[in-house]
Amino acid sequence: GLTPRQTGELDRNRDLLDGQALPAARVYTGVLYAALDYPTLTEAARRRADQWVLVFSGLWGAVHLDDLIPAYRLSGDVTLPRLGAVGALWRKPLATAIPEVAGDGVVLDLRSGTYAKMWAPTPELAERTVVARILQERPDGSRAVVSHHNKATKGRLVRALASQRKTLRTVDALASLIESHGVITELHHGRPGKPWALDIVVDEL
């Protein structure tokens, strides 16, 4: 699915084992990472982001922002020869790894649909997992789910959470903290053993 201008991505993958490794926060780019603006976080906020944030990856499963990785090209929705669907390959190892990383804290799930297929919380962890949806409120009062541009909102949200010092132990505390940054939040609890849903309503992206 690459264009002729993207053939350099093939070279990166061929040289993967010998490529220069940099912190994931520098390797990953795009709207979300521009809004996060990791280099300008305070030292304390960077430490919190490094500890709290996990980035799902088709190649690595999940990485912290300070994990050293080379640049690569592999989306989570790819099906590889002989190995099969990337998302399915990661389900078993991530089922073990993610709860260990989550500990007893609240989990805010900002993943796209592609990467949501790689891991689902156990019923116990789902009780303190919040799946966020970004909605834009239009001038007429109607709301619409936004896609590409919601990444900027998510990046700003991660930055705001990393910049505060509170240890959040409940879903309600997380929703209240997000709302304190000037957005409307609507928290919905689904069926037992399923994650909470959090609508974050913004008037600009």
Coordinates of all heavy atoms in Angstrom, one line a residue, residues 51-147:
Q51 N 6.0 7.1 32.5 CA 5.5 6.0 33.3 C 4.1 5.6 32.9 O 3.7 4.4 32.9 CB 5.6 6.4 34.8 CG 5.1 5.3 35.7 CD 5.1 5.8 37.2 OE1 5.6 6.9 37.5 NE2 4.6 4.9 38.1
W52 N 3.2 6.6 32.7 CA 1.8 6.3 32.5 C 1.4 6.0 31.1 O 0.4 5.2 30.9 CB 1.0 7.6 33.0 CG 1.1 7.9 34.4 CD1 1.6 7.1 35.4 CD2 0.7 9.1 35.1 NE1 1.5 7.7 36.6 CE2 1.0 9.0 36.5 CE3 0.2 10.3 34.6 CZ2 0.7 10.0 37.4 CZ3 -0.1 11.3 35.5 CH2 0.2 11.2 36.9
V53 N 2.0 6.6 30.1 CA 1.5 6.5 28.7 C 2.0 5.2 28.1 O 3.2 4.9 28.1 CB 1.9 7.7 27.9 CG1 1.4 7.5 26.5 CG2 1.3 9.0 28.5
L54 N 1.1 4.5 27.4 CA 1.5 3.3 26.6 C 1.0 3.6 25.2 O -0.1 4.0 25.0 CB 0.9 2.0 27.0 CG 1.5 1.3 28.2 CD1 0.7 0.0 28.5 CD2 3.0 0.9 27.9
V55 N 1.9 3.4 24.2 CA 1.6 3.6 22.8 C 1.5 2.2 22.2 O 2.5 1.4 22.2 CB 2.6 4.4 22.0 CG1 2.2 4.6 20.6 CG2 2.8 5.8 22.7
F56 N 0.3 1.8 21.6 CA 0.2 0.5 21.0 C 0.9 0.6 19.6 O 0.8 1.5 18.9 CB -1.3 0.2 20.9 CG -1.8 -0.5 22.1 CD1 -1.9 0.2 23.3 CD2 -2.2 -1.8 22.1 CE1 -2.4 -0.4 24.5 CE2 -2.7 -2.4 23.3 CZ -2.8 -1.7 24.5
S57 N 1.5 -0.6 19.3 CA 2.3 -0.6 18.1 C 2.1 -2.0 17.4 O 2.1 -3.0 18.0 CB 3.8 -0.4 18.5 OG 4.6 -0.9 17.5
G58 N 2.0 -1.9 16.1 CA 1.9 -3.2 15.3 C 3.2 -4.0 15.4 O 3.1 -5.3 15.4
L59 N 4.3 -3.4 15.6 CA 5.6 -4.1 15.7 C 6.0 -4.5 17.1 O 6.5 -5.6 17.3 CB 6.7 -3.3 15.0 CG 8.1 -3.9 15.0 CD1 8.1 -5.2 14.2 CD2 9.1 -2.9 14.4
W60 N 5.8 -3.6 18.0 CA 6.3 -3.8 19.4 C 5.2 -4.2 20.4 O 5.5 -4.5 21.5 CB 6.9 -2.5 19.9 CG 8.0 -2.0 19.0 CD1 7.9 -0.8 18.2 CD2 9.2 -2.6 18.6 NE1 9.0 -0.7 17.5 CE2 9.9 -1.7 17.7 CE3 9.9 -3.7 19.1 CZ2 11.1 -2.0 17.2 CZ3 11.2 -4.0 18.5 CH2 11.8 -3.1 17.6
G61 N 3.9 -4.2 20.0 CA 2.9 -4.5 20.9 C 2.4 -3.2 21.7 O 1.4 -2.6 21.4
A62 N 3.2 -2.8 22.6 CA 3.0 -1.5 23.3 C 4.3 -1.0 23.9 O 5.2 -1.8 24.3 CB 2.0 -1.7 24.4
V63 N 4.6 0.3 23.8 CA 5.8 0.9 24.3 C 5.6 2.1 25.1 O 4.5 2.8 25.0 CB 6.8 1.3 23.1 CG1 7.2 0.0 22.3 CG2 6.1 2.3 22.2
H64 N 6.5 2.4 26.1 CA 6.5 3.6 26.8 C 7.1 4.7 25.9 O 7.9 4.4 25.0 CB 7.2 3.5 28.1 CG 6.5 2.6 29.1 ND1 5.4 3.1 29.8 CD2 6.7 1.4 29.6 CE1 5.0 2.2 30.7 NE2 5.8 1.1 30.5
L65 N 6.9 5.9 26.3 CA 7.4 7.1 25.5 C 8.9 7.1 25.5 O 9.5 7.7 24.6 CB 6.8 8.4 25.9 CG 5.3 8.6 25.6 CD1 4.8 9.8 26.3 CD2 5.0 8.6 24.1
D66 N 9.5 6.6 26.6 CA 11.0 6.7 26.7 C 11.7 5.4 26.3 O 12.9 5.3 26.4 CB 11.4 7.1 28.1 CG 10.9 6.1 29.2 OD1 10.1 5.3 28.9 OD2 11.4 6.2 30.3
D67 N 10.9 4.4 25.8 CA 11.5 3.2 25.2 C 12.3 3.5 24.0 O 11.8 4.3 23.1 CB 10.4 2.1 24.9 CG 9.9 1.4 26.2 OD1 10.6 1.5 27.2 OD2 8.8 0.9 26.2
L68 N 13.4 2.9 23.8 CA 14.2 3.2 22.6 C 13.9 2.2 21.5 O 13.9 1.0 21.7 CB 15.7 3.0 23.0 CG 16.3 3.9 24.0 CD1 17.8 3.6 24.3 CD2 16.1 5.4 23.6
I69 N 13.4 2.8 20.4 CA 13.0 2.0 19.2 C 13.5 2.6 17.9 O 13.7 3.8 17.9 CB 11.5 1.8 19.1 CG1 10.8 3.2 19.0 CG2 10.9 1.1 20.3 CD1 9.3 3.2 18.7
P70 N 13.8 1.8 16.9 CA 14.1 2.4 15.6 C 12.8 2.8 14.8 O 11.7 2.3 15.2 CB 14.8 1.2 14.9 CG 14.2 0.0 15.4 CD 13.8 0.3 16.9
A71 N 12.9 3.6 13.8 CA 11.8 3.9 13.0 C 11.4 2.7 12.2 O 12.2 1.9 11.8 CB 12.1 5.1 12.1
Y72 N 10.1 2.5 11.9 CA 9.6 1.4 11.2 C 8.3 1.7 10.5 O 7.7 2.7 10.8 CB 9.4 0.2 12.2 CG 8.3 0.4 13.2 CD1 7.1 0.0 12.9 CD2 8.6 1.1 14.3 CE1 6.0 0.2 13.9 CE2 7.6 1.4 15.3 CZ 6.3 0.9 15.0 OH 5.3 1.2 15.9
R73 N 7.8 0.8 9.7 CA 6.5 0.9 9.1 C 5.7 -0.4 9.3 O 6.1 -1.4 8.7 CB 6.7 1.2 7.6 CG 5.4 1.2 6.8 CD 4.7 2.6 7.0 NE 3.5 2.7 6.2 CZ 3.1 3.8 5.6 NH1 3.8 4.9 5.6 NH2 2.0 3.8 4.9
L74 N 4.7 -0.4 10.1 CA 3.9 -1.6 10.3 C 2.6 -1.2 11.1 O 2.6 -1.0 12.3 CB 4.6 -2.7 11.1 CG 3.7 -4.0 11.2 CD1 3.5 -4.7 9.9 CD2 4.4 -5.0 12.2
S75 N 1.5 -1.1 10.4 CA 0.3 -0.7 11.0 C -0.4 -1.9 11.7 O -0.1 -3.1 11.4 CB -0.7 -0.2 9.9 OG -2.0 0.1 10.5
G76 N -1.2 -1.6 12.7 CA -1.9 -2.6 13.4 C -2.9 -3.4 12.7 O -3.4 -4.4 13.2
D77 N -3.3 -2.9 11.5 CA -4.3 -3.6 10.7 C -3.8 -4.4 9.6 O -4.5 -4.9 8.7 CB -5.4 -2.6 10.2 CG -4.8 -1.6 9.3 OD1 -3.5 -1.6 9.0 OD2 -5.5 -0.7 8.8
V78 N -2.4 -4.7 9.6 CA -1.8 -5.4 8.5 C -1.9 -6.9 8.8 O -1.9 -7.4 9.9 CB -0.3 -5.0 8.4 CG1 0.5 -6.0 7.6 CG2 -0.2 -3.6 7.9
T79 N -2.0 -7.7 7.7 CA -1.9 -9.1 7.7 C -0.6 -9.6 7.1 O -0.4 -9.3 5.9 CB -3.1 -9.8 7.0 OG1 -4.3 -9.4 7.7 CG2 -3.0 -11.3 7.0
L80 N 0.2 -10.2 7.8 CA 1.6 -10.6 7.4 C 1.6 -12.0 6.8 O 0.8 -12.9 7.3 CB 2.6 -10.5 8.5 CG 2.8 -9.1 9.1 CD1 3.7 -9.3 10.4 CD2 3.5 -8.2 8.1
P81 N 2.4 -12.2 5.8 CA 2.5 -13.6 5.2 C 3.0 -14.6 6.3 O 3.8 -14.2 7.2 CB 3.6 -13.5 4.2 CG 3.6 -12.0 3.8 CD 3.2 -11.3 5.0
R82 N 2.4 -15.7 6.4 CA 2.7 -16.8 7.3 C 2.3 -16.5 8.8 O 1.9 -17.4 9.5 CB 4.2 -17.2 7.3 CG 4.7 -17.7 5.9 CD 6.1 -18.2 6.0 NE 7.0 -17.1 6.4 CZ 7.5 -16.2 5.5 NH1 7.1 -16.2 4.2 NH2 8.4 -15.3 5.9
L83 N 2.4 -15.2 9.2 CA 2.0 -14.9 10.6 C 0.6 -14.6 10.8 O 0.0 -14.8 11.9 CB 2.9 -13.7 11.0 CG 4.4 -14.0 11.1 CD1 5.2 -12.7 11.5 CD2 4.7 -15.1 12.1
G84 N -0.1 -14.0 9.8 CA -1.5 -13.6 9.9 C -1.7 -12.2 10.4 O -0.8 -11.3 10.3
A85 N -2.8 -11.9 11.0 CA -3.2 -10.5 11.4 C -2.4 -10.1 12.5 O -2.3 -10.8 13.6 CB -4.7 -10.5 11.7
V86 N -1.8 -8.9 12.4 CA -0.9 -8.3 13.5 C -1.7 -8.2 14.8 O -1.2 -8.5 15.8 CB -0.3 -7.0 13.0 CG1 0.3 -6.3 14.2 CG2 0.7 -7.2 11.9
G87 N -2.9 -7.6 14.7 CA -3.7 -7.4 15.9 C -3.9 -8.7 16.7 O -3.8 -8.7 17.9
A88 N -4.2 -9.8 16.0 CA -4.5 -11.0 16.6 C -3.2 -11.6 17.3 O -3.2 -12.2 18.3 CB -5.0 -12.0 15.6
L89 N -2.1 -11.4 16.7 CA -0.8 -11.9 17.2 C -0.5 -11.3 18.6 O 0.2 -12.0 19.4 CB 0.4 -11.5 16.2 CG 0.4 -12.3 14.9 CD1 1.5 -11.7 14.0 CD2 0.7 -13.8 15.1
W90 N -0.9 -10.1 18.8 CA -0.5 -9.4 20.1 C -1.5 -9.7 21.2 O -1.2 -9.3 22.4 CB -0.4 -7.9 19.8 CG 0.9 -7.5 19.2 CD1 1.1 -7.0 18.0 CD2 2.2 -7.7 19.8 NE1 2.4 -6.8 17.7 CE2 3.1 -7.2 18.8 CE3 2.7 -8.2 21.0 CZ2 4.5 -7.2 19.1 CZ3 4.0 -8.1 21.3 CH2 4.9 -7.7 20.3
R91 N -2.7 -10.3 20.9 CA -3.7 -10.4 22.0 C -3.2 -11.1 23.2 O -3.4 -10.7 24.3 CB -5.0 -11.0 21.4 CG -5.7 -10.0 20.5 CD -6.9 -10.7 19.9 NE -7.4 -9.9 18.8 CZ -8.1 -10.4 17.7 NH1 -8.3 -11.7 17.6 NH2 -8.5 -9.6 16.8
K92 N -2.6 -12.3 23.0 CA -2.2 -13.1 24.1 C -1.1 -12.5 25.0 O -1.2 -12.4 26.2 CB -1.8 -14.5 23.7 CG -1.5 -15.5 24.8 CD -1.2 -16.9 24.3 CE -0.9 -17.8 25.4 NZ -0.7 -19.2 24.9
P93 N 0.0 -12.0 24.4 CA 1.0 -11.4 25.2 C 0.6 -10.1 25.9 O 0.9 -9.8 27.0 CB 2.2 -11.1 24.2 CG 1.6 -11.2 22.9 CD 0.5 -12.2 23.0
L94 N -0.2 -9.3 25.2 CA -0.7 -8.1 25.8 C -1.7 -8.3 26.9 O -1.8 -7.5 27.9 CB -1.3 -7.1 24.8 CG -0.3 -6.5 23.8 CD1 -1.1 -5.7 22.8 CD2 0.7 -5.7 24.5
A95 N -2.4 -9.4 26.8 CA -3.4 -9.8 27.9 C -2.7 -10.0 29.2 O -3.2 -9.8 30.3 CB -4.2 -11.1 27.5
T96 N -1.4 -10.4 29.2 CA -0.6 -10.6 30.4 C 0.1 -9.3 30.8 O 0.1 -8.9 31.9 CB 0.5 -11.7 30.2 OG1 -0.2 -12.9 29.8 CG2 1.3 -11.9 31.4
A97 N 0.6 -8.6 29.8 CA 1.5 -7.4 30.0 C 0.7 -6.2 30.5 O 1.1 -5.5 31.5 CB 2.3 -7.1 28.8
I98 N -0.4 -5.9 29.9 CA -1.1 -4.6 30.2 C -1.6 -4.5 31.6 O -1.4 -3.5 32.3 CB -2.2 -4.4 29.2 CG1 -1.7 -4.3 27.8 CG2 -3.0 -3.1 29.5 CD1 -0.6 -3.2 27.5
P99 N -2.2 -5.6 32.2 CA -2.7 -5.5 33.6 C -1.5 -5.3 34.5 O -1.7 -4.6 35.5 CB -3.4 -6.9 33.8 CG -3.8 -7.3 32.5 CD -2.7 -6.8 31.5
E100 N -0.3 -5.8 34.2 CA 0.8 -5.6 35.1 C 1.2 -4.1 35.1 O 1.6 -3.6 36.1 CB 2.0 -6.5 34.6 CG 1.7 -8.0 34.8 CD 2.9 -8.8 34.4 OE1 3.9 -8.2 33.9 OE2 2.8 -10.1 34.5
V101 N 1.2 -3.5 33.9 CA 1.6 -2.1 33.8 C 0.5 -1.2 34.4 O 0.8 -0.2 35.1 CB 1.7 -1.7 32.3 CG1 2.0 -0.3 32.1 CG2 2.9 -2.5 31.7
A102 N -0.8 -1.6 34.3 CA -1.9 -0.8 34.8 C -1.9 -0.7 36.3 O -2.3 0.3 36.9 CB -3.2 -1.3 34.3
G103 N -1.4 -1.8 37.0 CA -1.4 -1.9 38.4 C -2.8 -1.7 38.9 O -3.8 -2.3 38.4
D104 N -3.0 -0.8 40.0 CA -4.3 -0.6 40.5 C -4.9 0.8 40.2 O -5.8 1.3 40.8 CB -4.3 -0.7 42.1 CG -3.3 0.3 42.7 OD1 -2.7 1.0 42.0 OD2 -3.3 0.3 43.9
G105 N -4.3 1.4 39.1 CA -4.8 2.7 38.7 C -5.9 2.7 37.7 O -6.3 1.6 37.3
V106 N -6.4 3.9 37.4 CA -7.4 4.0 36.4 C -6.8 4.0 35.0 O -5.7 4.6 34.8 CB -8.2 5.3 36.6 CG1 -9.2 5.6 35.5 CG2 -8.9 5.3 37.9
V107 N -7.4 3.3 34.0 CA -6.9 3.2 32.7 C -7.8 4.1 31.7 O -9.0 3.9 31.7 CB -6.9 1.8 32.2 CG1 -6.5 1.7 30.7 CG2 -6.0 0.9 33.0
L108 N -7.1 5.1 31.1 CA -7.8 5.9 30.1 C -7.5 5.3 28.7 O -6.3 5.4 28.3 CB -7.5 7.3 30.2 CG -8.0 8.3 29.1 CD1 -9.5 8.3 29.2 CD2 -7.5 9.7 29.3
D109 N -8.4 4.8 28.0 CA -8.2 4.2 26.7 C -8.5 5.2 25.6 O -9.7 5.5 25.3 CB -9.1 2.9 26.6 CG -8.8 2.1 25.3 OD1 -8.0 2.6 24.5 OD2 -9.3 1.0 25.2
L110 N -7.4 5.6 24.9 CA -7.6 6.6 23.8 C -7.3 6.0 22.4 O -7.1 6.7 21.4 CB -6.7 7.8 24.0 CG -6.9 8.6 25.3 CD1 -5.8 9.7 25.4 CD2 -8.3 9.3 25.2
R111 N -7.3 4.7 22.3 CA -6.9 4.0 21.1 C -7.9 4.1 20.0 O -9.1 4.2 20.2 CB -6.6 2.5 21.4 CG -5.5 2.2 22.3 CD -5.4 0.7 22.6 NE -6.6 0.3 23.3 CZ -7.0 -1.0 23.5 NH1 -6.2 -2.0 22.9 NH2 -8.0 -1.3 24.2
S112 N -7.4 4.0 18.8 CA -8.3 3.9 17.6 C -8.9 2.5 17.5 O -8.4 1.6 18.2 CB -7.6 4.3 16.3 OG -6.6 3.3 16.1
G113 N -9.8 2.3 16.7 CA -10.4 1.0 16.5 C -9.4 -0.1 16.1 O -9.5 -1.2 16.5
T114 N -8.5 0.3 15.3 CA -7.4 -0.7 14.8 C -6.7 -1.3 16.0 O -6.5 -2.5 16.1 CB -6.4 0.0 13.9 OG1 -7.1 0.4 12.7 CG2 -5.3 -0.9 13.5
Y115 N -6.3 -0.4 16.9 CA -5.4 -0.9 18.0 C -6.2 -1.4 19.2 O -5.7 -2.2 20.0 CB -4.4 0.2 18.4 CG -3.5 0.5 17.3 CD1 -3.7 1.5 16.4 CD2 -2.3 -0.3 17.1 CE1 -2.8 1.7 15.3 CE2 -1.5 -0.1 16.1 CZ -1.7 0.9 15.2 OH -0.8 1.1 14.1
A116 N -7.5 -1.0 19.2 CA -8.4 -1.6 20.3 C -8.6 -3.1 20.1 O -8.9 -3.8 21.1 CB -9.8 -0.9 20.2
K117 N -8.4 -3.6 18.9 CA -8.5 -5.0 18.6 C -7.3 -5.8 19.2 O -7.4 -7.1 19.3 CB -8.6 -5.3 17.1 CG -9.8 -4.7 16.4 CD -9.7 -4.9 14.9 CE -10.9 -4.2 14.2 NZ -10.8 -4.3 12.8
M118 N -6.3 -5.2 19.6 CA -5.1 -5.9 20.1 C -5.2 -6.3 21.6 O -4.5 -7.1 22.0 CB -3.8 -5.0 19.9 CG -3.5 -4.8 18.4 SD -2.2 -3.6 18.1 CE -0.8 -4.2 19.1
W119 N -6.1 -5.6 22.3 CA -6.2 -5.9 23.7 C -7.5 -5.4 24.2 O -8.0 -4.3 23.9 CB -5.1 -5.1 24.5 CG -5.2 -5.3 26.0 CD1 -5.0 -6.3 26.8 CD2 -5.8 -4.3 26.9 NE1 -5.3 -6.1 28.1 CE2 -5.8 -4.8 28.2 CE3 -6.3 -3.0 26.7 CZ2 -6.2 -4.1 29.3 CZ3 -6.7 -2.2 27.8 CH2 -6.7 -2.8 29.1
A120 N -8.1 -6.2 25.1 CA -9.4 -5.9 25.8 C -9.2 -6.2 27.3 O -8.6 -7.2 27.6 CB -10.5 -6.7 25.2
P121 N -9.6 -5.3 28.1 CA -9.4 -5.5 29.6 C -10.2 -6.7 30.1 O -11.3 -7.0 29.6 CB -9.9 -4.2 30.2 CG -10.9 -3.6 29.2 CD -10.4 -4.0 27.9
T122 N -9.7 -7.3 31.1 CA -10.5 -8.3 31.9 C -11.7 -7.7 32.5 O -11.7 -6.4 32.7 CB -9.6 -9.0 32.9 OG1 -9.2 -8.0 33.9 CG2 -8.4 -9.6 32.3
P123 N -12.7 -8.4 32.9 CA -13.8 -7.8 33.6 C -13.4 -7.0 34.8 O -14.0 -5.9 35.1 CB -14.7 -9.0 34.0 CG -14.4 -10.0 32.9 CD -12.9 -9.8 32.6
E124 N -12.4 -7.5 35.6 CA -12.0 -6.7 36.8 C -11.4 -5.4 36.4 O -11.7 -4.4 37.0 CB -11.0 -7.6 37.6 CG -10.5 -6.9 38.8 CD -9.4 -7.7 39.6 OE1 -9.1 -8.8 39.1 OE2 -9.0 -7.2 40.6
L125 N -10.5 -5.4 35.4 CA -9.8 -4.2 35.0 C -10.8 -3.3 34.3 O -10.6 -2.0 34.3 CB -8.6 -4.5 34.1 CG -7.7 -3.3 33.6 CD1 -7.3 -2.5 34.8 CD2 -6.5 -3.9 32.8
A126 N -11.8 -3.8 33.6 CA -12.7 -3.0 32.9 C -13.5 -2.1 33.8 O -13.9 -1.0 33.4 CB -13.7 -3.9 32.1
E127 N -13.6 -2.5 35.1 CA -14.4 -1.6 36.0 C -13.6 -0.3 36.3 O -14.2 0.6 36.8 CB -14.6 -2.4 37.3 CG -15.6 -3.6 37.2 CD -17.0 -3.1 36.9 OE1 -17.4 -2.0 37.4 OE2 -17.7 -3.8 36.2
R128 N -12.4 -0.2 36.0 CA -11.6 1.0 36.2 C -10.9 1.4 34.8 O -9.9 2.1 34.9 CB -10.6 0.9 37.3 CG -9.7 -0.3 37.3 CD -8.9 -0.4 38.6 NE -8.3 -1.7 38.7 CZ -7.0 -2.0 38.2 NH1 -6.4 -1.0 37.6 NH2 -6.5 -3.1 38.4
T129 N -11.5 1.0 33.7 CA -11.1 1.4 32.4 C -12.1 2.3 31.8 O -13.3 2.0 31.8 CB -10.8 0.2 31.5 OG1 -9.8 -0.6 32.1 CG2 -10.4 0.6 30.1
V130 N -11.6 3.4 31.2 CA -12.5 4.4 30.6 C -12.2 4.5 29.1 O -11.0 4.9 28.8 CB -12.4 5.8 31.2 CG1 -13.3 6.8 30.6 CG2 -12.7 5.7 32.7
V131 N -13.1 4.3 28.2 CA -12.9 4.4 26.8 C -13.4 5.8 26.4 O -14.6 6.0 26.5 CB -13.6 3.3 26.0 CG1 -13.4 3.5 24.5 CG2 -13.0 1.9 26.4
A132 N -12.5 6.6 25.9 CA -12.9 8.0 25.6 C -13.3 8.1 24.1 O -12.8 7.5 23.2 CB -11.8 9.0 25.9
R133 N -14.3 9.0 23.9 CA -14.8 9.3 22.6 C -14.8 10.9 22.5 O -15.4 11.5 23.4 CB -16.2 8.7 22.3 CG -16.7 9.0 20.9 CD -18.0 8.3 20.7 NE -19.1 8.8 21.5 CZ -20.4 8.6 21.2 NH1 -20.8 7.9 20.1 NH2 -21.3 9.1 22.0
I134 N -14.2 11.4 21.4 CA -14.2 12.9 21.3 C -15.3 13.3 20.4 O -15.4 12.8 19.2 CB -12.9 13.3 20.7 CG1 -11.7 12.7 21.4 CG2 -12.8 14.8 20.7 CD1 -11.6 13.1 22.9
L135 N -16.2 14.2 20.8 CA -17.3 14.7 20.1 C -17.1 16.2 19.9 O -16.7 16.9 20.8 CB -18.6 14.4 20.8 CG -19.0 12.9 21.1 CD1 -20.3 12.9 21.9 CD2 -19.1 12.2 19.8
Q136 N -17.5 16.7 18.7 CA -17.5 18.1 18.5 C -18.9 18.6 18.5 O -19.8 18.1 17.9 CB -16.9 18.4 17.1 CG -16.8 19.9 16.9 CD -16.2 20.2 15.5 OE1 -16.1 19.3 14.7 NE2 -15.7 21.4 15.3
E137 N -19.1 19.7 19.3 CA -20.4 20.3 19.4 C -20.5 21.4 18.3 O -19.7 22.4 18.3 CB -20.7 20.9 20.8 CG -22.1 21.4 21.0 CD -22.5 21.4 22.4 OE1 -22.2 22.4 23.1 OE2 -23.1 20.4 22.9
R138 N -21.5 21.3 17.5 CA -21.6 22.3 16.4 C -22.4 23.5 16.9 O -23.1 23.5 17.9 CB -22.4 21.6 15.2 CG -21.6 20.5 14.6 CD -22.5 19.6 13.7 NE -21.7 18.7 13.0 CZ -22.3 17.6 12.3 NH1 -23.6 17.4 12.4 NH2 -21.5 16.8 11.7
P139 N -22.4 24.6 16.1 CA -23.1 25.8 16.5 C -24.6 25.6 16.8 O -25.2 26.3 17.6 CB -22.9 26.8 15.4 CG -21.5 26.3 14.8 CD -21.5 24.8 14.9
D140 N -25.2 24.6 16.0 CA -26.6 24.4 16.2 C -26.9 23.5 17.4 O -28.1 23.1 17.6 CB -27.2 23.8 14.9 CG -26.6 22.4 14.6 OD1 -25.8 21.9 15.3 OD2 -27.0 21.9 13.5
G141 N -25.9 23.1 18.1 CA -26.1 22.3 19.3 C -26.0 20.8 19.1 O -25.9 20.0 20.0
S142 N -25.9 20.4 17.8 CA -25.8 19.0 17.5 C -24.3 18.5 17.7 O -23.4 19.3 17.8 CB -26.2 18.7 16.1 OG -25.3 19.3 15.2
R143 N -24.1 17.2 17.9 CA -22.8 16.7 18.1 C -22.4 15.7 17.0 O -23.3 15.0 16.5 CB -22.7 16.0 19.5 CG -22.9 17.0 20.6 CD -23.0 16.3 22.0 NE -23.1 17.2 23.1 CZ -23.3 16.8 24.3 NH1 -23.3 15.5 24.6 NH2 -23.4 17.7 25.3
A144 N -21.1 15.6 16.7 CA -20.7 14.7 15.7 C -19.4 14.0 16.2 O -18.5 14.7 16.8 CB -20.4 15.4 14.4
V145 N -19.2 12.7 15.9 CA -18.0 12.1 16.2 C -16.9 12.5 15.2 O -17.2 12.6 14.0 CB -18.1 10.5 16.1 CG1 -16.8 9.8 16.3 CG2 -19.2 10.0 17.1
V146 N -15.8 12.9 15.7 CA -14.7 13.4 14.8 C -13.7 12.3 14.7 O -13.5 11.5 15.6 CB -14.1 14.7 15.3 CG1 -15.1 15.8 15.2 CG2 -13.6 14.6 16.7
S147 N -12.9 12.3 13.6 CA -12.0 11.2 13.4 C -10.5 11.7 13.4 O -9.9 11.8 14.5 CB -12.3 10.5 12.1 OG -12.3 11.4 11.0

